[in-house]
Amino acid sequence: MTLEEIEFELEMAGLSREQQVKLLSSVKIGGYDAKVLDQKLRLMGFPPIFSIYDEDEEESDNKS
């Protein structure tokens, strides 16, 4: 996922600009990890929005 896509998802989830910048900075430093981002979102009081994509991919892999 690109930074622009991540930023869009965070905006759609209702995060303030300050919260978006904080999470985007962590992605720039540590790389994109859906589960880590979702954990941070949960700690901020938001529902997970990134690992749902990974779960769909994992289910497709398991069915093959």
Side-chain angles (χ1 to χ4, degrees):
M1 225 176 183
T2 67
L3 285 175
E4 291 81 17
E5 291 170 325
I6 295 168
E7 184 175 7
F8 176 76
E9 292 290 340
L10 294 174
E11 187 176 338
M12 294 284 89
L15 276 75
S16 71
R17 186 65 189 147
E18 182 180 317
Q19 292 168 320
Q20 292 175 35
V21 169
K22 182 184 282 188
L23 288 177
L24 289 169
S25 293
S26 74
V27 170
K28 289 177 186 175
I29 293 169
Y32 172 74
D33 184 332
K35 291 179 180 165
V36 170
L37 274 177
D38 280 347
Q39 182 179 13
K40 289 180 181 188
L41 282 170
R42 278 191 220 95
L43 291 172
M44 297 168 91
F46 292 93
I49 57 174
F50 293 103
S51 62
I52 58 171
Y53 301 117
D54 288 346
E55 290 171 6
D56 290 342
E57 291 174 8
E58 287 174 11
E59 288 176 16
S60 297
D61 291 344
N62 291 337
K63 292 178 183 176
S64 304

